[in-house]
Amino acid sequence: MWFTTKKMSEDQRRYELQLMFNHPAFDRLLQSSIKAVGHLNTEAIAYSLLSMVNLGVPQRSRVVQTFLRHCQEKLNDFDEKGLSILASCLVHMEENANVAALKEGMRMMVEMRLPEIKSVLALQTMMRVLGKDTPLDLKRKLEVKVLSMIDQFTLPNTQYMISTMATMGFYSKPLLDICSKKMIENLHGIPFNRLLPVLLSCRELHYRDLDLLNGISDYVASLIDVWTNKQLLLLLSAFESLAFCPDALMKALTEKIIGNPGALTLKDILCVLKVYSSLNYDLKHQRQLFLDGVTQALCSYLPMIPTFELLRAVYYLSVLGCFPSAPLQQLMNEDSINQLKATAPRIFQNQENMLRTMDLCLRLDAPALPVPLILPSFLLGETTSRCEPSVKPWLSHSLKSLLEEQENAILQEMLLVENFYLIDAVIIKPSLSQSSAHDSSAGDELSPAASSQRIALISSSNACCYGTSRPRGPLAVMIRHLKILGYDCVLMMDQELESMSEQHRLDFLRTCIFPESRRPEESLTE
């Protein structure tokens, strides 16, 4: 029955299954299977159980539970194929006493028979059913077993292995690197429904291979006119969740959107704006065309867009430095303001951060709008920071050591700017123009702003796109606004800087903050 119905369309299958369940002969079939289960071999029991689960027979029904108990009783008699079929079934079953007992029995069977397993697919299926609760020592044994079978891996095995590891919650860099290399060599021809799980699994495993990600980006870009917008945006979102900017894909997608912005649904628009703003993608000469197209598409949905979705869209546009008047005005009308004011507490923090960022954008970027717009202060929350500043000891020590060499330089740590942006450290030093002021006439005086230079040191651990020093959305907005406020920004990578020796770190900071005071030997080497 299952082999017949699985070839049908979703609607047809649903209709046929309903007819099947309502037919009196189906109930008699289930009753007879309960009586016959004791006479079936293990493979037949496993196949029957799998078919019943796939057909939608209630998992707590007597027939399913009877088959589960017989599987437990005969578990020692299951061969590799039977265990693989049983594992395929258990992966999709709800947790109950019989399922839990059978999974535990399978764990012991897999551990005991691991050296004898010869099928890659069978091993992967068993690994999936073992799940995240698998003891670490068994995971290590499985890793060794898989690595010993790596020569047998087909391309589908490789893709399935990555998602299997995510299902188990097991990170094995050697195995992931091998799978990535094999995928890179065979990217062309991999369908969407295999690519997306790979990216989602990489996210879950916190695994990123630059060559693999760039390869997938290039491959998807080459199919930009073949795959649907939904498929492209799902892949784009997966890349964004990995903090990776797929330049090739985004370049191709930008051109596609510019060519036909009207093809975007509201969900598409929100996804595009979220990813482009989050990854701080450089649109270059296409910036205005792209933003005009997306804004035009967004405006077509204004009569029906929910307020919170509108807030998200306007926030993403603000991060991109775009301020279309129609969406802004609708967001700030009385009805929208009242809805935002009544927002449930569970999303208030996120909403407040978006509104405060928008408020800063309107004040500091100062866009030219037909009507001046100001967000009501009661939507912005408290003006004091909720952050608890924490000075990084290694950075503080290096900066204080560095300033001992400098005259007239002042260090400020954990400085809060505009009651929103927290800067790790600010160095205030005489500007280069001040040093030449002595050569000017006695009557000429420099203003305080012109006589000093403020350098904002921003250390970040994961606020840049993977593999680059390009700041992502919130950090990019912060840097943009600090520059407007007169700061020179120096972005530093936490891990890279902290791993340096003290002297190396001092030299690096000196080059960034006091380039005019480089040591003579440094100048000679240039």
Side-chain angles (χ1 to χ4, degrees), residues 139-151:
K139 288 181 179 179
R140 294 297 182 195
K141 291 177 183 177
L142 289 166
E143 177 187 27
V144 172
K145 177 66 177 180
V146 173
L147 288 170
S148 71
M149 301 173 72
I150 208 72
D151 291 338

Side-chain angles (χ1 to χ4, degrees), residues 170-181:
F170 179 52
Y171 179 93
S172 167
K173 193 171 189 308
L175 189 50
L176 286 166
D177 286 344
I178 292 171
C179 291
S180 294
K181 185 178 179 182

Side-chain angles (χ1 to χ4, degrees), residues 112-307:
M112 184 171 61
R113 296 189 186 178
L114 192 57
E116 304 167 15
I117 297 176
K118 296 179 181 179
S119 166
V120 173
L121 184 59
L123 178 61
Q124 290 176 332
T125 307
M126 293 177 205
M127 288 171 68
R128 292 176 83 88
V129 79
L130 296 179
K132 290 183 168 64
D133 296 331
T134 308
L136 184 58
D137 62 332
L138 178 54
K139 288 181 179 179
R140 294 297 182 195
K141 291 177 183 177
L142 289 166
E143 177 187 27
V144 172
K145 177 66 177 180
V146 173
L147 288 170
S148 71
M149 301 173 72
I150 208 72
D151 291 338
Q152 302 176 36
F153 271 41
T154 62
L155 183 58
N157 288 152
T158 301
Q159 299 150 14
Y160 197 56
M161 191 69 243
I162 295 175
S163 60
T164 296
M165 293 176 69
T167 302
M168 289 188 70
F170 179 52
Y171 179 93
S172 167
K173 193 171 189 308
L175 189 50
L176 286 166
D177 286 344
I178 292 171
C179 291
S180 294
K181 185 178 179 182
K182 195 173 187 70
M183 279 194 65
I184 292 168
E185 294 169 353
N186 300 277
L187 268 175
H188 290 277
I190 298 179
F192 164 81
N193 59 359
R194 288 185 181 169
L195 268 185
L196 183 61
V198 167
L199 289 175
L200 296 177
S201 297
C202 287
R203 177 194 65 188
E204 192 167 339
L205 291 167
H206 303 289
Y207 172 77
R208 294 178 293 192
D209 181 281
L210 202 55
D211 292 334
L212 176 63
L213 296 176
N214 278 319
I216 294 176
S217 172
D218 293 340
Y219 169 56
V220 177
S222 70
L223 297 172
I224 197 76
D225 295 321
V226 177
W227 287 352
T228 65
N229 282 347
K230 181 178 180 180
Q231 290 173 321
L232 294 171
L233 294 178
L234 283 171
L235 290 168
L236 193 64
S237 293
F239 278 121
E240 189 266 339
S241 70
L242 288 161
F244 173 76
C245 184
D247 286 310
L249 171 57
M250 295 184 77
K251 181 181 178 182
L253 187 60
T254 299
E255 293 172 356
K256 185 173 184 178
I257 291 171
I258 290 172
N260 187 15
L264 297 174
T265 65
L266 177 58
K267 189 174 181 180
D268 293 343
I269 294 168
L270 290 171
C271 177
V272 166
L273 290 175
K274 178 179 184 291
V275 174
Y276 276 67
S277 61
S278 171
L279 296 177
N280 188 27
Y281 179 65
D282 185 5
L283 290 156
K284 299 184 174 69
H285 64 282
Q286 295 178 311
R287 173 181 169 80
Q288 200 56 50
L289 285 172
F290 173 82
L291 291 175
D292 287 347
V294 175
T295 301
Q296 178 187 346
L298 175 64
C299 288
S300 69
Y301 289 100
L302 287 182
M304 63 193 79
I305 189 171
T307 299

